[in-house]
């Protein structure tokens, strides 16, 4: 039999279940056998464990999980939120926190969102020329997809990505 | 029932997370501050063409709170939140703004059917109105700033509530979850992560909120919803082709229970209701008012049912009331073919 997936938990029996979990927008997946599904299938960690593990992972550079670096404990001057409380709860105290903990936040955001540049609307409703051009390209791409002109859609997509790249 | 009204996409919801620049986020805000936040939202909406009303959490009975929660108008987080937590709603209840939840504002529009784009337009107009009277926490690079950085950027979550018995019964949902996750979409149970879906109800929503425009998010969720809807139609075809006798028998037994039982716990009602809805799709059961039929599920949820009945009931009383009243309504709305 080609490529029989084995159980991620015991590694010995063939997997018959596929399980996904989405925690704070991050999807994890695992394959389980009948036995391990009974033992581990529906057990979920409690909320504080989720955040502890999740944020530890996010603040750890890729590939160096066991080599945890000590993060400097900063305090937000506006609301008093600390690096420690942010890492523990995943929540910030005010908009100023984004400046106080900037490197930490950008690190998390990049990993979760795979992007660090906002391209949507803004509260003052004014669009920059780049944003206006991007929206125009988006409209054209949707039109191309609607008439199944995928070659044109791909070309427009490239232009959109270029525009996004320039904006970073 | 035609394909445009096949009942697969039950509702569309668009939510925008926003904070006021001049206030610390709700988890660190004192009572005076959160009262001020609420006041500012109410003032911002005063000039709207639509009339809005405020229900403060502290003024809500447990039953009211639970009723709103069942309708997705307030969240669990909100119920655990501060005393100036409130929900600001329009007359038709399709726009509701949770105030002082995880963020100062969770502006949301919930519409029946497949109307994500329309829902976004409606809530975006309300958002513009609030932004024109109050300074919103915003950063040029990261977009709208939210209490949890996972929501930064557009702060937009677009989701569709879908009825997927075909995919559920043919064990094809995993494939769907897999495919959706490749496009940064999430498939969850009706009431979010970990909630069960004995009525085959699932939410499809975007995960990415930064680096994509609002229009892109709406169009990508809409396209995922369309793909899943097509897969559901194929799964239903496969289901009936594999063993129609068993399927029809199961559906008609469910119909028998819904129209004849003496007591009906909600979980059982939800399961049988799903089968009857499938029976209407296949034409085994006729329905003279599909919208009214669609509204039955929410109407017979425990808190909503007590609100409609205007009385508090214990479990057993509720189950008996549900069986009698749901049966009477179903007999008026539907018939065996």
């Amino acid at each position: 039999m080609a490529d029989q997936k084995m159980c991620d938990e015991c590694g010995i029996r063939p997997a018959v279940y596929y399980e996904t979990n989405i925690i704070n927008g991050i999807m994890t997946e695992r394959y389980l056998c009948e036995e391990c599904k009974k033992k581990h299938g529906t057990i979920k960690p409690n909320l504080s464990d989720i955040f502890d593990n999740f944020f530890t992972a996010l603040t750890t550079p890729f590939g160096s999980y066991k080599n945890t670096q000590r993060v400097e404990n900063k305090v937000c001057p506006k609301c008093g939120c600390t690096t420690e409380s942010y890492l523990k709860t995943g929540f910030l105290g005010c908009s100023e926190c984004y400046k106080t903990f900037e490197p930490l936040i950008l690190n998390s955001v990049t990993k979760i969102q795979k992007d660090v540049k906002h391209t949507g609307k803004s509260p003052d409703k004014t669009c920059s020329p780049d944003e206006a051009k991007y929206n125009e390209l988006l409209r054209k791409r949707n039109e191309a997809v609607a008439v199944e002109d995928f070659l044109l859609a791909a070309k427009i997509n490239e232009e959109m990505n270029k525009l996004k790249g320039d904006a970073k | 029932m035609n394909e445009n009204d096949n009942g697969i996409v039950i509702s569309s919801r668009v939510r925008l997370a926003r904070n006021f620049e001049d206030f610390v986020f709700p988890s660190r805000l004192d009572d005076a501050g959160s009262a001020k936040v609420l006041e500012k939202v109410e003032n911002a909406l005063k000039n709207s063409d639509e009339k809005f009303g405020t229900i403060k959490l502290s003024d809500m009975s447990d039953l009211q709170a639970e009723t709103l929660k069942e309708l997705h108008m307030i969240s669990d987080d909100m119920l655990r939140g501060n005393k100036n937590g409130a929900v600001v709603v329009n007359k038709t209840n399709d726009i509701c703004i949770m105030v002082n939840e995880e963020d100062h504002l969770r502006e949301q529009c919930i519409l029946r059917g497949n109307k994500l784009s329309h829902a976004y337009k409606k809530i975006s107009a309300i958002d513009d109105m609030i932004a024109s009277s109050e300074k919103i926490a915003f950063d040029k690079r990261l977009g709208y700033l939210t209490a949890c950085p996972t929501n930064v950027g557009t702060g937009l979550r677009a989701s569709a509530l879908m009825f997927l018995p075909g995919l559920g019964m043919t064990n094809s949902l995993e494939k769907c979850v897999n495919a959706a996750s490749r496009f940064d979409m999430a498939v969850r149970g009706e009431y979010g992560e970990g909630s069960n879906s004995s009525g085959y109800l699932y939410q499809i929503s975007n995960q990415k909120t930064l680096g994509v425009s609002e229009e892109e998010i709406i169009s990508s969720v809409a396209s995922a919803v369309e793909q899943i809807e097509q897969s559901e139609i194929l799964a239903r075809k496969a289901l009936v082709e594999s063993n129609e006798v068993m399927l029809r028998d199961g559906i008609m037994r469910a119909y028998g229970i819904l129209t004849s039982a003496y007591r009906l716990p909600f979980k059982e009602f939800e399961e049988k209701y799903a089968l009857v809805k499938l029976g209407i799709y296949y034409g085994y059961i006729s329905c003279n008012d599909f919208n009214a039929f669609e509204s039955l599920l929410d109407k017979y949820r425990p808190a909503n049912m007590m609100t409609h009945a205007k009385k508090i009931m214990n479990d057993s009383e509720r189950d008996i009331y549900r069986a009698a009243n749901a049966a009477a309504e179903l007999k008026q709305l539907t018939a065996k073919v």
Side-chain angles (χ1 to χ4, degrees), chain A residues 46-125:
Chain A
N46 68 41
L47 204 61
S48 78
D49 288 347
I50 290 171
F51 280 126
D52 285 351
N53 297 338
F54 179 58
F55 286 97
T56 306
L58 289 177
T59 51
T60 308
F62 275 126
S64 57
Y65 260 65
K66 291 188 177 141
N67 212 355
T68 318
Q69 290 172 1
R70 193 126 193 103
V71 185
E72 188 192 345
N73 197 21
K74 289 185 178 174
V75 181
C76 173
K78 186 174 169 186
C79 69
C81 178
T82 62
T83 307
E84 199 186 342
S85 72
Y86 164 56
L87 290 178
K88 199 160 179 64
T89 63
F91 289 103
L92 297 162
C94 67
S95 52
E96 192 66 27
C97 288
Y98 277 88
K99 286 184 193 137
T100 314
F101 311 114
E102 192 184 12
L104 210 56
I105 293 167
L106 285 181
N107 192 23
S108 317
V109 166
T110 315
K111 281 173 191 164
I112 299 164
Q113 302 274 353
K114 302 176 200 99
D115 230 309
V116 282
K117 176 68 189 154
H118 175 59
T119 52
K121 74 187 268 193
S122 64
D124 57 13
K125 285 179 278 178

Side-chain angles (χ1 to χ4, degrees), chain B residues 293-321:
Chain B
F293 176 82
E294 285 273 74
S295 68
L296 291 183
L297 186 62
D298 280 343
K299 195 171 169 185
Y300 286 100
R301 290 183 189 283
N304 273 271
M305 190 179 77
M306 289 193 285
T307 299
H308 279 285
K310 295 190 176 81
K311 62 176 173 181
I312 302 287
M313 294 175 253
N314 65 27
D315 281 1
S316 169
E317 289 166 340
R318 270 205 303 269
D319 296 347
I320 294 169
Y321 181 95

Side-chain angles (χ1 to χ4, degrees), chain B residues 25-200:
Chain B
F25 296 156
S27 64
R28 292 190 171 254
L29 196 56
D30 59 18
D31 284 350
S34 56
K36 197 84 189 146
V37 165
L38 178 57
E39 192 187 316
K40 283 185 178 289
V41 180
E42 289 172 322
N43 283 338
L45 294 171
K46 262 187 185 153
N47 298 325
S48 164
D49 293 339
E50 282 197 88
K51 288 280 161 270
F52 285 85
T54 301
I55 316 170
K56 281 182 76 171
L57 210 60
S58 53
D59 297 338
M60 269 181 222
S61 65
D62 288 349
L63 178 62
Q64 260 181 316
E66 195 54 36
T67 303
L68 294 175
K69 205 182 103 185
E70 284 178 355
L71 298 175
H72 301 276
M73 289 172 72
I74 59 173
S75 61
D76 266 333
D77 279 350
M78 175 126 204
L79 293 177
R80 287 191 294 264
N82 71 51
K83 74 169 201 182
N84 286 311
V87 59
V88 177
V89 284
N90 66 349
K91 275 193 170 168
T92 43
N93 279 355
D94 52 10
I95 290 180
C96 77
I97 303 168
M98 284 188 263
V99 185
N100 293 316
E101 201 235 26
E102 180 181 306
D103 293 299
H104 292 142
L105 307 177
R106 288 288 174 103
E107 308 158 352
Q108 53 173 4
C109 178
I110 309 174
L111 297 176
R112 289 209 80 86
N114 191 356
K115 291 178 191 148
L116 275 175
S117 189
H118 187 49
Y120 172 66
K121 274 185 200 143
K122 275 193 94 162
I123 203 61
S124 182
I126 297 295
D127 183 48
D128 290 345
M129 192 176 291
I130 295 173
S132 66
S133 76
E134 286 305 322
K135 198 168 177 213
I136 301 292
F138 182 81
D139 175 78
K140 268 195 155 178
R141 185 179 184 186
L142 289 175
Y144 290 93
L145 302 179
T146 49
C148 182
T150 49
N151 293 317
V152 285
T154 55
L156 189 156
R157 196 75 62 197
S159 62
L161 182 63
M162 300 186 78
F163 174 59
L164 306 174
L167 292 171
M169 288 180 197
T170 53
N171 296 321
S172 312
L173 264 165
E174 286 158 15
K175 280 185 205 157
C176 233
V177 174
N178 260 338
S181 67
R182 281 205 296 275
F183 296 96
D184 283 318
M185 299 289 149
V187 182
R188 300 179 171 91
E190 187 192 0
Y191 286 94
E193 184 58 30
S195 61
N196 66 6
S197 43
S198 40
Y200 300 106

